[in-house]
Amino acid sequence: MTESDGWVPEGVDITVPNAARIYDYALGGVHNFAVDREFWDNALQVFPNAGLVGRANRAFLGRAVRRLAQQGIRQFLDIGSGIPTVGNVHEMAQGVDPTARIMYVDIDPIAVEQSRSLLAGNPRARAVRGDLRDPESILFHPEVLDFLDFAEPVAVLMVAVLHFLPDSDDPGSIVKRVGDTLARGSHLVVSHAGPERTPESQAGLKAAIKLYEKTPTPVVMRTPEELAALVETGFELVPPGVVIANEWHPDPEEDEVPLQPTALVAVGRKP
């Protein structure tokens, strides 16, 4: 019996590290393979703050989802969701309103299959496979259209995913096409890899990014100004604009995480 027996779709190569499974391992999940764990351990060797960045990013996601649910958003479309185990969106949203609906989308078939297994007992949370580079295939996916009502506001989550899109994929156009499809009052929640503030930590970050070049999803680092421009192609930035994750409506009850400049975040609203 190998660790892949029974839960890997046919044809999936588990000898190559995968961003969704790497993140699952980084957050303490169990839906990952040795190659993913080895990759993350190597990333920590060159960039020790990587784990803190992941925690800050996940905490931001929780605050954003809860805040939007408290404001009346009842539909969430999580693109690039990975595997919804630790700190997942459906528990956070449904903790505010049990009627909230969450559609998870990921390009990795393993992440989708594992998501479906985990969500089997939750009729208000589903998962489909989709590629952000082709947003229409997600927005007009039959299961998505059957589950979400785009005549009503939707919160689209692109958390730690836009930095996997190079400029050649024209991520600004993708964000605009998503925004054009949504009703007024919809929101976009994003996080993105940004620059560090000291030469030493910047060197470590660049080394970690270099590791991602060995995976199918290399990382593109962008500045706060570049991230703001991406969001504003389809949405209006809401206060406090583009900030590091720790500074976005911090919750004094959360475990304190040192400031992580690498974790840039923002929320936009469709006027």
Side-chain angles (χ1 to χ4, degrees):
M1 177 76 74
T2 69
E3 67 175 343
S4 64
D5 286 346
W7 66 283
V8 177
E10 185 177 353
V12 174
D13 185 359
I14 63 169
T15 66
V16 177
N18 171 272
R21 302 192 306 266
I22 293 166
Y23 196 40
D24 174 71
Y25 174 58
L27 293 172
V30 298
H31 302 286
N32 47 75
F33 301 120
V35 66
D36 307 307
R37 297 188 287 272
E38 180 182 2
F39 179 96
W40 183 250
D41 291 341
N42 288 337
L44 289 176
Q45 288 293 318
V46 298
F47 186 49
N49 280 355
L52 294 176
V53 171
R55 285 175 55 193
N57 183 72
R58 203 65 169 179
F60 156 74
L61 172 63
R63 296 195 303 275
V65 168
R66 289 190 295 269
R67 190 177 184 87
L68 291 177
Q70 290 164 357
Q71 293 175 0
I73 300 293
R74 297 293 175 264
Q75 304 183 104
F76 295 83
L77 178 61
D78 189 356
I79 302 176
S81 57
I83 302 168
T85 51
V86 181
N88 61 68
V89 173
H90 63 274
E91 288 184 353
M92 292 181 286
Q94 292 172 352
V96 176
D97 185 340
T99 69
R101 285 173 287 169
I102 297 85
M103 175 62 79
Y104 292 106
V105 182
D106 202 273
I107 193 173
D108 177 41
I110 294 178
V112 175
E113 288 302 314
Q114 285 303 107
S115 297
R116 287 173 174 165
S117 176
L118 292 166
L119 300 172
N122 190 328
R124 295 185 178 274
R126 299 183 186 177
V128 298
R129 190 178 181 190
D131 187 342
L132 180 57
R133 293 170 296 183
D134 183 10
E136 286 80 8
S137 70
I138 296 172
L139 298 167
F140 298 103
H141 190 292
E143 288 188 54
V144 174
L145 291 175
D146 179 62
F147 191 63
L148 301 178
D149 181 2
F150 285 103
E152 298 294 327
V154 177
V156 176
L157 314 178
M158 297 184 190
V159 176
V161 64
L162 285 173
H163 54 224
F164 293 123
L165 299 183
D167 291 343
S168 59
D169 283 334
D170 196 359
S173 172
I174 292 171
V175 171
K176 184 179 187 304
R177 283 147 62 192
V178 170
D180 288 345
T181 306
L182 302 178
R184 294 179 61 184
S186 294
H187 286 73
L188 175 69
V189 178
V190 300
S191 68
H192 197 292
E196 274 283 358
R197 292 177 177 173
T198 68
E200 180 180 358
S201 56
Q202 184 70 5
L205 175 60
K206 288 182 177 179
I209 289 175
K210 194 75 174 175
L211 289 175
Y212 271 94
E213 294 178 1
K214 302 175 183 178
T215 76
T217 50
V219 171
V220 178
M221 185 174 62
R222 294 187 172 98
T223 66
E225 294 76 18
E226 289 170 329
L227 180 56
L230 286 182
V231 174
E232 290 174 333
T233 57
F235 301 83
E236 292 182 349
L237 282 169
V238 300
V242 176
V243 294
I244 64 174
N246 313 69
E247 297 174 339
W248 196 88
H249 299 286
D251 183 349
E253 296 184 2
E254 285 180 356
D255 292 338
E256 186 174 351
V257 177
L259 295 180
Q260 299 302 314
T262 300
L264 297 177
V265 305
V267 174
R269 182 181 186 276
K270 182 172 179 179

